Amino acid sequence: MIKYFVPEGTTNAQMVFYDEFGTQLKAFTVTETGAGQLNIGAANLANGTYSYSLIINGKVVDTKKMVKTQ
């Protein structure tokens, strides 16, 4: 579960996921402002390090890493 906050007045928000090489894997459009959460299933991911970024109005506002291990 990934928690995020999108400020009021945002016109475009996305949560974008990348592999350890920086290749984009998936992008989710965030349609509501305020606090929210995104539930991600990791069953289809190989073990490794991934990153995800919250992009608001075309600008990266936060990036975090996650590690999947079995």
Side-chain angles (χ1 to χ4, degrees), residues 6-67:
V6 177
E8 190 96 15
T10 297
T11 57
N12 183 14
Q14 288 185 309
M15 187 73 71
V16 183
F17 292 83
Y18 305 93
D19 66 11
E20 62 188 316
F21 304 109
T23 303
Q24 183 177 324
L25 300 174
K26 188 88 173 168
F28 294 93
T29 301
V30 179
T31 57
E32 296 182 15
T33 58
Q37 65 184 28
L38 188 60
N39 295 317
I40 301 298
N44 295 335
L45 295 176
N47 288 347
T49 302
Y50 299 87
S51 63
Y52 55 95
S53 297
L54 177 61
I55 302 172
I56 297 178
N57 296 336
K59 295 184 180 182
V60 176
V61 295
D62 196 15
T63 298
K64 299 203 184 232
K65 289 189 178 188
M66 63 181 176
V67 177

